Amino acid sequence: MGGAVSAGEDNDELIDNLKEAQYIRTDLVEQAFRAIDRADYYLEEFKENAYKDLAWKHGNIHLSAPCIYSEVMEALDLQPGLSFLNLGSGTGYLSSMVGLILGPFGVNHGVELHSDVTEYAKQKLDVFIRTSDSFDKFDFCEPSFVTGNCLEIAPDCCQYDRVYCGAGVQKEHEEYMKNLLKVGGILVMPLEEKIVDQDNTHRPFCLGNKKDSGCFLRPSGPTLPFGVRTAQTCPATTTGRAQPAGPGPSCYPWQHQEGYAPGSHQRRWTEEHTYV
């Protein structure tokens, strides 16, 4: 998916085109997009396509089209200090942009199925921190990436203010996704569930329906296949799980996975990190 806006000669021109088409609508999102050059997340031999409004895939590495990421960033309604979970965190491009907005008191977790992509994301994050002129201009919430199946997060894990899942989600996992949210949180995921016939038509579904008054929001601007869920008026998201008081051992979604070593992610946390 993509091709909604014209290609740019560089990252700034791409952002200008996304603004003109109303995919980027707020200053915070614009600043995050300008601070991180999309081409830095491409392999060298494919960088000539970085500023086109097109998705890119090479092996397990995948980047969604810029119009998709910009609409996701707007729909998440990010604010400093929030907690964010990226399911299928990929190259880390989106998580790093989110980290520029969350600031030093936010929480920024990513779960990725493929270990080679997790390592790729960590390498790109390290390069950004060491070499980017933008890094020192922001109070950065550094993403923490882990390899795992996002459908196997411990049921007693803490909940998040904002959750994004870039992969198609089956209908039977709808409640599972809701339970990752705090009350008042926002979940953004594709509406297209799966291919249902040989003509490649898709059956859309959304989190929420007309009976859930106040639970289903659709952002203003261009229509894209995403649903935005706010849990504020939806009691189903709060049943069956206690809310942890703050960050700690029970707040690592990957802690029950095979190979987890207590303390292995501890450097990513300080006593200053709090949930709001």
Side-chain angles (χ1 to χ4, degrees), residues 202-229:
H202 295 75
R203 181 173 64 225
F205 75 93
C206 64
L207 296 183
N209 52 50
K210 293 180 181 178
K211 294 182 180 179
D212 295 328
S213 176
C215 286
F216 181 66
L217 303 177
R218 189 177 297 279
S220 60
T223 301
L224 286 175
F226 291 100
V228 184
R229 177 77 179 193

Side-chain angles (χ1 to χ4, degrees), residues 68-110:
I68 299 296
Y69 281 136
S70 55
E71 189 70 8
V72 167
M73 290 280 285
E74 293 287 358
L76 286 169
D77 190 22
L78 297 163
Q79 302 294 330
L82 295 181
S83 54
F84 172 67
L85 176 63
N86 189 351
L87 301 174
S89 48
T91 65
Y93 172 64
L94 178 68
S95 291
S96 293
M97 288 194 294
V98 169
L100 296 176
I101 298 176
L102 296 184
F105 302 112
V107 173
N108 194 354
H109 290 166

Side-chain angles (χ1 to χ4, degrees), residues 248-250 252 254-267:
S250 65
Y252 294 107
W254 46 83
Q255 66 173 350
H256 297 295
Q257 295 176 350
E258 184 177 356
Y260 168 76
S264 60
H265 298 277
Q266 190 170 3
R267 73 177 186 86

